[in-house]
Amino acid sequence: MSAVEVFLDETPGETRGVVLRDGRFTHLLIQREDDPAETRLGARSIGRVVEINPGLRGAFVDLGGAAPGFLPLRRQDRLTQGERLEVTVVAEPRRGKGATLRRLGPGEGAPRLLEAGPDVAEQLQRLAPGVESVTGLPAIDAAIEAEEEALSATHVFMSHGIDLALERTRALAAVDIDYAASAGRDPKQGRAAANREGLRQTARLIGLKNWGGLVAIDLVGDGQEAEAQMKAARAAFAHEPQAVFAPVSRFGLMQLALPWRRTPIEEVLAGADGQATVRTRALALVRALRRQILADTVTPRFVARCHPEEARIAAPLAARLGPRAVVQADPDAPAGRGRIQET
């Protein structure tokens, strides 16, 4: 049985949950207080059909207070514009796409939220039933470490001689498994072991990053061991029953399709330019202040000086930490370079 640890970081403005299995991060959950509740995974709403798009084989549904969601339609489905439906979110929004919905039945009244999706604490209990969440300093640090790994494009596993590169484009996620053979080891067995571990870590990292869609994996070697490679892939992605696999090509390229469920971590934290948004930087500063307060219970006050745009968001959140936390706007402070001082 795998060893499981769960961490819950509830910092004003943002809650984070982390799952650690056998010493490796498998899930990073992030919910912000200003996220539209209507588009959270599992949320249930009354929606109104505002557009039917035959080309996309779906309809756009007004959820009330959030961007319209998309409801895929089957051939036998019949909807009319203005019709009310009860729907649930099966995939959160991602860049350029609204939430994906599933129809539950007819609805009545104005578009509105009926029931919010599970919060971070509830999701952690579903992912690790019966495991008590660790809070405080360890939770803050675990979330920071998980974020760093989720945002990294390269991952090295020295014990297995593996170097993984993961890159997400508009069309698909590309994974390259590189292997450095070790002296004295049978090359064929080494490649097989590298592919098994590479696929296992790929599955973990894709889950940590909240990725879905088409995934192309460049395996070690060619496709001569396709049957063994496919077996290893199915084992690695066994936690995802909706995964669909294509045959391994003679060049050693594996393709699979995974369902989208959550907003990718990089889109939660960064803008279209790939840089951390103002809100992300402000929340990081508040988290750093909270960490200082928890780590040092003696210092009377901590003052964070930061860029005015960040201070506008961070100041009211830091006030909820109590009188020991203060945020001050500093026009000379570079964006993302706020500093905390003891006073």
Side-chain angles (χ1 to χ4, degrees):
M1 180 178 291
S2 62
V4 182
E5 295 179 82
V6 171
F7 300 88
L8 180 63
D9 168 24
E10 296 180 291
T11 292
E14 183 179 80
T15 299
R16 294 184 171 199
V18 176
V19 178
L20 191 74
R21 295 183 186 273
D22 295 326
R24 298 284 187 184
F25 297 113
T26 59
H27 293 83
L28 171 59
L29 309 173
I30 300 176
Q31 284 182 1
R32 293 178 171 176
E33 292 179 1
D34 59 347
D35 289 341
E38 297 85 353
T39 61
R40 184 190 301 171
L41 184 65
R44 189 167 56 87
S45 299
I46 296 295
R48 179 175 62 88
V49 177
V50 293
E51 180 185 345
I52 300 173
N53 192 314
L56 296 177
R57 296 181 63 180
F60 292 95
V61 179
D62 174 18
L63 301 174
F70 181 73
L71 176 65
L73 297 177
R74 299 166 297 179
R75 292 186 182 277
Q76 66 269 30
D77 288 337
R78 296 291 182 268
L79 291 180
T80 59
Q81 190 160 329
E83 185 174 350
R84 266 64 170 179
L85 307 169
E86 183 177 336
V87 296
T88 186
V89 175
V90 295
E92 294 177 343
R94 58 187 191 277
R95 193 160 292 137
K97 296 180 182 294
T100 302
L101 310 173
R102 178 167 57 86
R103 183 179 184 178
L104 298 177
E108 294 182 357
R112 65 195 185 278
L113 179 69
L114 296 177
E115 183 180 6
D119 61 20
V120 171
E122 292 169 326
Q123 291 181 60
L124 289 175
Q125 278 301 305
R126 294 181 183 183
L127 291 167
V131 180
E132 185 176 353
S133 295
V134 177
T135 60
L137 275 173
I140 293 174
D141 292 341
I144 292 172
E145 290 181 38
E147 175 189 330
E148 290 175 351
E149 188 171 29
L151 293 178
S152 178
T154 58
H155 307 265
V156 177
F157 304 93
M158 296 296 294
S159 59
H160 292 83
I162 299 172
D163 184 351
L164 284 183
L166 295 88
E167 181 180 2
R168 178 173 158 244
T169 70
R170 183 174 179 179
L172 53 78
V175 181
D176 182 29
I177 304 177
D178 276 345
Y179 168 60
S182 56
R185 186 171 190 180
D186 178 81
K188 183 177 179 179
Q189 292 182 358
R191 290 193 299 269
N195 279 327
R196 285 194 300 271
E197 183 64 16
L199 286 165
R200 192 170 73 88
Q201 295 299 339
T202 294
R204 177 183 69 83
L205 290 165
I206 285 176
L208 182 65
K209 296 170 182 286
N210 287 347
W211 287 359
L214 181 64
V215 181
I217 305 175
D218 185 11
L219 299 166
V220 179
D222 53 29
Q224 293 184 8
E225 301 295 327
E227 184 176 346
Q229 292 164 350
M230 183 61 70
K231 182 179 179 181
R234 292 188 182 279
F237 288 91
H239 62 282
E240 182 46 78
Q242 295 185 36
V244 178
F245 298 84
V248 178
S249 77
R250 63 190 180 94
F251 301 109
L253 183 67
M254 173 178 290
Q255 296 183 75
L256 65 149
L258 300 170
W260 282 105
R261 290 200 178 92
R262 294 188 174 90
T263 305
I265 292 297
E266 70 270 19
E267 293 186 11
V268 174
L269 301 174
D273 59 357
Q275 302 300 310
T277 62
V278 175
R279 181 162 295 279
T280 293
R281 299 195 302 266
L283 289 168
L285 188 67
V286 176
R287 185 172 295 104
L289 266 173
R290 179 167 175 257
R291 192 186 188 289
Q292 289 277 57
I293 290 172
L294 292 174
D296 180 350
T297 60
V298 176
T299 299
R301 194 171 71 155
F302 295 95
V303 178
R305 293 180 171 82
C306 60
H307 191 278
E309 286 187 338
E310 297 163 9
R312 176 177 55 81
I313 298 172
L317 297 174
R320 290 159 53 183
L321 295 173
R324 298 178 66 210
V326 177
V327 172
Q328 294 181 354
D330 183 353
D332 296 325
R337 301 289 295 276
R339 61 189 187 279
I340 299 175
Q341 298 175 328
E342 300 177 3
T343 62

